[in-house]
Amino acid sequence: METNLPLLANRFAPTYPLTEPWPVGPLEVRDLAPWQRCWACGSTANEANESYCIDCGAALETRLYQAFLSRRDEPSGPALISRMADPLARAILPDVIEECDLNGMRLTVLADTDAMPLTAPLDETTALMIGAAIAQLLVNLHGAGIALSTLTIDDLGLIGPGQVCLRQANDLRLVSDAERDTAFQADLLALAEVLERLTAIPRTTQRLSEEAVEEAPQATDSLEVALRQIRTGELRDAAAVAHRLSALRDERTHPVPLFQLAGSYTDTGQVRDHNEDSLFKLTMCLENNGQRQSCGVYIVADGMGGHAAGEIASGMAVRAAARFITEHYLQQMMAESRLYHEAEMQELARQAVLAANEAIYRESRSQANDMGSTLTMALVVGNRAVIANIGDSRTYLFRDGKLSRISKDHSLVMRLVELGHLREEDIYTHPQRNAVLRSLGDRAEPEVDIFSLRLLPGDALLLCSDGQWEMTRDPEMERIIAEEPDPQRASAALVAAANQAGGEDNIAVILVRMML
């Protein structure tokens, strides 16, 4: 027998006839009294038949909502949301705007959601934020004897950076004591499956000998390991999973607040008559309420294009890149505390270099010259560093007395080394050693190399133009940095050594030491 569901809560009616007995499950309802609760701001202060909300001005028109019918004595789906007292859990679950009972049934009406769908693959930090939030929701659900029952990527949405919500909760159900272990374990496996798909982490099976198992390093600080621990049952309940994922999330989003002590020096050299190198150095530290935020932006650029054009290009490069980072990160950092997000910082560094490229590219076209510049940059937040590089200026890491190059030269001689046609020690004397294959201003959108580092107390970052590393070579720079602890004096000593070795090019150096 078909019948229209009576108007419930003096507001809602189904959009299609229902067959009695009314079925448990989702349905769509029409709000015939939209003034009772504004769809935009939630105001309940409007008078009957009001056309516009008196608080926000939104048009109060008949609207459609998703809803759910369940048995009053056996609530299921969104009807169980009201059992969640934790506001964080309620924030993830769909928002209930009305519930009412009639003839042994319960109607739960859900607010519209403007959550953005998730698109795989996601970076690991975002996936950990999502995973930790859903795992904590499972802690609350399981504590109330409720199973989520199903979870797919399509069920999830983003309502802010790293802030996840459930787009539907139609499969929530109460479980008996006898089925709890099985049902709750199924929820954890579903979460692991979603995170695996979101990050495109492959499942791998390896056959290892006992000796290989004993010798192989055991990584324990990755999402991949945590997902394996869920699947194998090592993480046995929602609380253990939430703790594990939250710890991984916090480790990635809260850098160790190391101090940065930086020095810099630049010089024309012994041969050139003007200096086409430029550098930018900015170190910031904010301490408030016992919390420290440290940040640094360090840039070295080597201009090209002859007299007047080279120094203009390198100056434009460091200014444009520094301005971009200031406007898109440093100002927000000073305004409020924010979580570190490696993928976002990598994109910030890349866009900063592209901003520098755009400035030079536009100027070179307007002036009809071939100005250009190399650029190497370090964006340091606490113990995290993102390195961006284009050209043959370099960024090095100094650790435990050893200097290792982080950036990759975009030069003809380094390409010959990669192809096996030249020994690396020959790049210093090759007649084409100054030929650069990639630089700022060469094309509208060049490829930018990005590298990420975890820094330790006692480490140092060295950024320099080719006028430094070609003259002094890595072992000599390593010795000077090891012997002189003060970064400003060390920078001056590095430049002096380059000049003493011939000073055939302009020289620019930034040295940043990391300290607790």
Side-chain angles (χ1 to χ4, degrees), residues 28-47:
E28 190 176 56
V29 296
R30 181 177 288 110
D31 185 0
L32 301 181
W35 57 85
Q36 292 193 21
R37 184 184 188 274
C38 174
W39 63 271
C41 70
S43 173
T44 57
N46 297 293
E47 295 183 2

Side-chain angles (χ1 to χ4, degrees), residues 283-484:
T283 304
M284 299 171 55
C285 181
L286 172 65
E287 297 213 26
N288 175 250
N289 196 28
Q291 301 295 316
R292 180 196 306 163
Q293 289 180 284
S294 59
C295 180
V297 184
Y298 309 101
I299 310 171
V300 167
D302 180 358
M304 302 176 291
H307 188 72
E311 61 264 34
I312 291 175
S314 65
M316 292 176 68
V318 298
R319 286 187 178 94
R323 185 183 306 114
F324 188 93
I325 291 173
T326 299
E327 294 175 353
H328 292 84
Y329 182 74
L330 296 182
Q331 289 181 355
Q332 291 90 330
M333 172 189 167
M334 297 303 295
E336 61 182 1
S337 178
R338 57 185 296 172
L339 297 177
Y340 185 85
H341 197 299
E342 185 173 287
E344 292 179 359
M345 299 302 286
Q346 290 175 336
E347 183 60 17
L348 174 71
R350 191 181 78 87
Q351 291 296 332
V353 176
L354 293 180
N357 179 77
E358 181 181 1
I360 297 174
Y361 184 81
R362 187 188 307 115
E363 181 69 13
S364 67
R365 295 310 181 269
S366 67
Q367 298 298 322
N369 61 26
D370 60 349
M371 71 163 55
S373 180
T374 70
L375 184 144
T376 193
M377 175 175 68
L379 177 56
V380 184
V381 179
N383 69 329
R384 315 295 172 85
V386 172
I387 311 300
N389 191 76
I390 185 167
D392 64 351
S393 293
R394 291 181 174 179
T395 294
Y396 292 84
L397 172 66
F398 180 80
R399 174 174 291 171
D400 296 332
K402 300 296 181 182
L403 195 65
S404 57
R405 187 167 74 250
I406 302 302
S407 58
K408 172 185 174 183
D409 294 350
H410 305 131
S411 63
L412 175 61
V413 289
M414 189 56 69
R415 182 60 178 154
L416 293 175
V417 170
E418 293 169 353
L419 294 173
H421 301 321
L422 190 69
R423 297 178 304 171
E424 187 159 354
E425 56 265 31
D426 294 331
I427 65 175
Y428 301 96
T429 56
H430 195 279
Q432 297 296 319
R433 62 184 179 276
N434 293 322
V436 176
L437 301 180
R438 197 190 305 175
S439 63
L440 299 176
D442 182 50
R443 61 188 65 182
E445 189 168 340
E447 183 180 354
V448 182
D449 286 353
I450 301 292
F451 309 89
S452 293
L453 298 174
R454 297 291 184 94
L455 300 171
L456 303 174
D459 285 354
L461 291 174
L462 170 66
L463 292 78
C464 62
S465 61
D466 61 346
Q468 178 68 63
W469 62 261
E470 281 189 1
M471 291 292 98
T472 49
R473 314 285 176 91
D474 292 4
E476 178 66 5
M477 293 191 295
E478 182 178 277
R479 182 191 64 79
I480 293 171
I481 296 171
E483 292 180 355
E484 177 51 71

Side-chain angles (χ1 to χ4, degrees), residues 95-248:
D95 185 18
V96 176
I97 61 175
E98 193 72 57
E99 276 194 309
C100 52
D101 296 335
L102 182 68
N103 297 336
M105 301 295 288
R106 174 165 295 172
L107 177 72
T108 305
V109 183
L110 305 173
D112 293 334
T113 177
D114 56 358
M116 298 294 294
L118 298 181
T119 303
L122 297 178
D123 64 272
E124 186 172 287
T125 300
T126 299
L128 283 168
M129 291 177 176
I130 292 170
I134 298 299
Q136 188 58 50
L137 172 63
L138 292 178
V139 171
N140 286 275
L141 290 173
H142 294 176
I146 301 171
L148 186 58
S149 299
T150 61
L151 183 66
T152 68
I153 292 177
D154 291 338
D155 294 331
L156 300 175
L158 286 178
I159 53 178
Q163 294 180 304
V164 67
C165 70
L166 277 180
R167 298 161 67 88
Q168 64 87 17
N170 294 340
D171 295 313
L172 292 179
R173 65 185 182 92
L174 292 168
V175 294
S176 66
D177 291 342
E179 60 178 334
R180 282 194 176 197
D181 289 347
T182 301
F184 293 168
Q185 181 64 22
D187 283 349
L188 298 179
L189 293 174
L191 173 58
E193 178 75 16
V194 165
L195 295 177
E196 186 178 85
R197 292 181 180 278
L198 281 175
T199 53
I201 294 177
R203 294 192 191 186
T204 57
T205 302
Q206 295 177 309
R207 185 182 298 275
L208 298 175
S209 65
E210 292 184 4
E211 293 79 6
V213 170
E214 292 177 357
E215 296 175 1
Q218 300 297 311
T220 60
D221 60 349
S222 71
L223 176 59
E224 181 178 1
V225 172
L227 297 185
R228 185 168 65 246
Q229 291 172 331
I230 295 173
R231 290 194 296 267
T232 60
E234 184 176 344
L235 296 175
R236 301 183 60 86
D237 55 36
V241 173
H243 177 78
R244 184 79 174 94
L245 296 182
S246 297
L248 290 171

